[in-house]
């Protein structure tokens, strides 16, 4: 495989994002609360664990990253290994980069048969700019609602 055909990966450090830091804080709090329940002889610590599992699912589900090949745009998640979404580049009509209120930046991908919103909380501005530039180089129409300007 030559460098030209090598897939490009657009990812970030998901642990140091606001979602990752909050998840670590919830984990520490959960451990503390379980310890308190055990010390007091309370057996209702399963409710705390259930709450943590829900928060874990909520915060990690939006930690996606992108892989761009010559033919496909692939979306993966570093925590949910089974999550894999693929789009053929020739099927994509356009992509809009948006950031909903109090949410991470997203790709709103429109194909001929579906539209999908993909959140990516771990990507930094520099990575978003590279992804935008590389998608434009693949002749995909990009609508930038966030205002990512090339500053090179």
């Amino acid at each position: 495989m030559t460098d030209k055909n090598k897939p490009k990966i657009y990812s970030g450090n998901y642990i140091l994002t606001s979602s990752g830091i909050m998840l670590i804080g919830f984990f520490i709090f959960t451990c503390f609360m379980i310890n308190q329940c055990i010390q007091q002889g309370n057996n209702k610590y399963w409710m705390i664990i259930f709450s943590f599992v829900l928060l874990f699912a909520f915060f990690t589900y939006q930690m996606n990253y992108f892989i761009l090949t010559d033919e496909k745009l692939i979306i993966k998640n570093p925590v949910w290994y089974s999550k894999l979404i693929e789009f053929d580049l020739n099927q994509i009509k356009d992509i809009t980069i948006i950031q909903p209120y109090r949410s991470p930046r997203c790709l709103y991908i429109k194909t001929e048969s579906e539209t999908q919103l993909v959140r990516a909380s771990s990507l930094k501005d520099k990575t978003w700019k590279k992804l935008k530039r590389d998608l434009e180089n693949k002749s995909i129409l990009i609508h930038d609602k966030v205002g990512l300007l090339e500053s090179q």
Side-chain angles (χ1 to χ4, degrees), residues 54-73:
L54 286 177
L55 289 170
F56 179 83
F58 174 75
F59 284 116
T60 58
Y61 197 73
Q62 59 190 2
M63 294 181 180
N64 299 307
Y65 65 95
F66 305 101
I67 301 170
L68 186 61
T69 67
D70 288 338
E71 297 90 24
K72 293 188 180 279
L73 174 63

Side-chain angles (χ1 to χ4, degrees), residues 28-73:
I28 292 169
F29 177 73
T30 301
C31 291
F32 174 75
M33 292 302 294
I34 289 172
N35 186 36
Q36 292 297 314
C37 285
I38 291 171
Q39 286 180 358
Q40 294 174 1
N42 189 344
N43 63 356
K44 295 190 179 184
Y45 55 86
W46 61 270
M47 291 172 44
I48 298 168
I49 294 172
F50 179 73
S51 299
F52 176 74
V53 169
L54 286 177
L55 289 170
F56 179 83
F58 174 75
F59 284 116
T60 58
Y61 197 73
Q62 59 190 2
M63 294 181 180
N64 299 307
Y65 65 95
F66 305 101
I67 301 170
L68 186 61
T69 67
D70 288 338
E71 297 90 24
K72 293 188 180 279
L73 174 63

Side-chain angles (χ1 to χ4, degrees), residues 61 73-76 83-87 116 118:
Y61 197 73
L73 174 63
I74 303 167
I75 294 111
K76 293 186 84 177
K83 183 177 182 184
L84 174 69
I85 304 168
E86 293 184 2
F87 293 99
Q116 186 153 1
V118 181

Side-chain angles (χ1 to χ4, degrees), residues 21 24 35 45 62 67 83 107 118 136 138 148-149:
I21 292 169
I24 291 168
N35 186 36
Y45 55 86
Q62 59 190 2
I67 301 170
K83 183 177 182 184
L107 285 186
V118 181
E136 287 173 336
K138 300 266 186 198
L148 295 172
L149 302 174

